[in-house]
Amino acid sequence: EGTPVQIDCDAATVSYLGPEGTYTQEACEKFFDGKGSYLPYETVPKAVQALTEGESNYAVIPQENTIGGAVIDYVDTLIANENVSVVGEVELPISQNLLVLPGTALENIKTVYSHKQGIAQGKEWLAKNLPNADVIEASSTAEGAKTVADGKDKSCAAIASAGCADVYGLEILAAGIQNNDKNKTRFYVLSKDVPATAASDRLAFIASGSAKDLPKLTAEMDKLGITLVALHDRPEKTELGNYHYLIECSACSYENYQKLTQDSNFTFRYLGSYSVK
Ligand SMILES: O=C(O)C(=O)Cc1ccccc1
C-alpha cells in the first residue's frame, strides 16, 4: 500500500557537508553503497540549497548525535526547506581521533579544531588531556583537519575521522577519544520527490503549533500503537510556547499518520516513510 521510496544509487548526485573526509561523506557512501557522485559543500544549508536548485538529486544531512544531541541548526534547515522530503536514514557509529601533523607531541598542542559535534564528543578527553587548549569551531571535522594540514603549525590539532588522516596527510595521535563507545550519529537523506507513503522502518513529520496540544497528540500516537523514536522542538518564532516539533516514529502506517492529523490543532507537514541503513 502507498508509494515506496525508489532510489537508483548509480544515478544519484548527492550534495553533502564537505570537504572530503567528513562523517557525512561516510554516511553518503553507506547509504548509496559507494555508488553515484558526491558533491561537497561548505555548509549544510548550502548542500540543501544545491538539492532545491537541482544541482543534486539528494542531500545528506547530520541530524542527531548520541552525545551532542540534535544538531539544531540542521533541524532548522530541514524545517525551512518546505519542499524537501526524507527518503532514508543512516545511522553511523562515530569514533573520534586527535589528528596532528606528523611528529607532533601532545605537549605541543595549543589549539584544537573541530565541528561543534566533534567538540562535544571529545570534551571529556580534552578536559583531561589538553585542558588549556583553545578549542575552535570549524564548519566540519574535515575542514578542521584541512586547516591543520594547510597551516603546517605543530601547535594545532583536529578532532576528526581516521579517514581524514589519510586524506590530509595527518597522524593519529589519539584514537577513540569520543566520550562514549556507543557514539552514533543519525543522518537524513533528503530529496525533492513527493514523500513516500508505503510502510517502512520510520515515518517522520513536523507538527507546528502550541505546546499545550502536544499531550493529546502523543496520547493519540500511543493509542494507535505508534512508537515515538525522536521528538525535537524548534521555536516557531511567533510567540513563546509555539513550536515546530520534528517527530520521528516507528510502527506507523501512513493511514495512522492521517488519523493523527484529524482533529488536531497542529499544522502538519509530512516528511516521508523510509528505511534505516
Ligand atoms: O563534520 C563532520 O564530519 C560532519 O559530518 C558532521 C559531524 C560531526 C561529528 C559527528 C558527526 C557528524
Side-chain angles (χ1 to χ4, degrees):
E1 283 290 310
T3 51
V5 170
Q6 254 151 9
I7 288 169
D8 177 353
C9 293
D10 288 309
T13 307
V14 189
S15 49
Y16 73 100
L17 172 67
E20 195 186 346
T22 57
Y23 291 101
T24 308
Q25 185 180 329
E26 287 182 29
C28 295
E29 285 163 3
K30 184 171 177 185
F31 189 81
F32 294 97
D33 289 329
K35 296 174 187 156
S37 52
Y38 307 117
L39 306 177
Y41 287 82
E42 259 164 72
T43 65
V44 166
K46 283 181 186 172
V48 175
Q49 192 182 357
L51 171 67
T52 60
E53 291 181 355
E55 287 166 35
S56 65
N57 45 22
Y58 298 100
V60 176
I61 70 169
Q63 203 264 324
E64 179 176 25
N65 176 266
T66 316
I67 299 166
V71 192
I72 57 174
D73 294 357
Y74 306 161
V75 174
D76 287 347
T77 304
L78 177 59
I79 291 167
N81 284 274
E82 290 177 8
N83 46 13
V84 303
S85 59
V86 179
V87 295
E89 180 173 315
V90 183
E91 265 188 31
L92 201 69
I94 305 278
S95 177
Q96 294 288 5
N97 306 273
L98 191 75
L99 306 185
V100 295
L101 289 161
T104 305
L106 195 59
E107 305 79 71
N108 302 142
I109 299 167
K110 293 199 174 72
T111 311
V112 178
Y113 295 90
S114 194
H115 183 273
K116 196 192 280 182
Q117 291 281 321
I119 294 169
Q121 293 159 24
K123 203 171 187 151
E124 289 171 17
W125 190 92
L126 287 174
K128 209 164 158 191
N129 298 282
L130 286 170
N132 300 316
D134 287 326
V135 179
I136 298 180
E137 196 177 316
S139 53
S140 71
T141 55
E143 182 60 34
K146 189 173 182 297
T147 301
V148 172
D150 292 349
K152 299 192 169 64
D153 174 351
K154 284 192 180 167
S155 71
C156 297
I159 296 176
S161 72
C164 275
D166 292 334
V167 175
Y168 299 105
L170 299 173
E171 212 167 72
I172 300 174
L173 189 63
I177 67 167
Q178 71 283 357
N179 305 342
N180 170 342
D181 286 341
K182 295 201 188 80
N183 189 26
K184 275 189 181 174
T185 294
R186 191 204 299 282
F187 297 82
Y188 278 164
V189 183
L190 308 180
S191 118
K192 275 203 298 185
D193 294 343
V194 175
T197 53
S200 194
D201 299 342
R202 298 283 164 80
L203 183 147
F205 60 92
I206 297 167
S208 303
S210 169
K212 68 179 174 352
D213 293 315
L214 189 62
K216 184 173 171 237
L217 182 71
T218 53
E220 191 65 22
M221 289 173 72
D222 198 37
K223 219 167 78 190
L224 291 167
I226 299 167
T227 307
L228 183 60
V229 173
L231 186 153
H232 304 292
D233 64 295
R234 298 298 302 144
E236 210 183 35
K237 297 177 186 160
T238 49
E239 46 188 300
L240 286 173
N242 280 13
Y243 300 94
H244 295 291
Y245 293 106
L246 170 59
I247 298 177
E248 187 172 324
C249 354
S250 64
C252 184
S253 64
Y254 184 66
E255 197 185 10
N256 275 347
Y257 162 74
Q258 284 179 310
K259 282 186 194 154
L260 288 180
T261 66
Q262 285 157 15
D263 198 30
S264 169
N265 289 328
F266 286 112
T267 304
F268 290 85
R269 172 178 156 204
Y270 180 62
L271 291 172
S273 179
Y274 50 86
S275 64
V276 181
K277 265 204 183 176

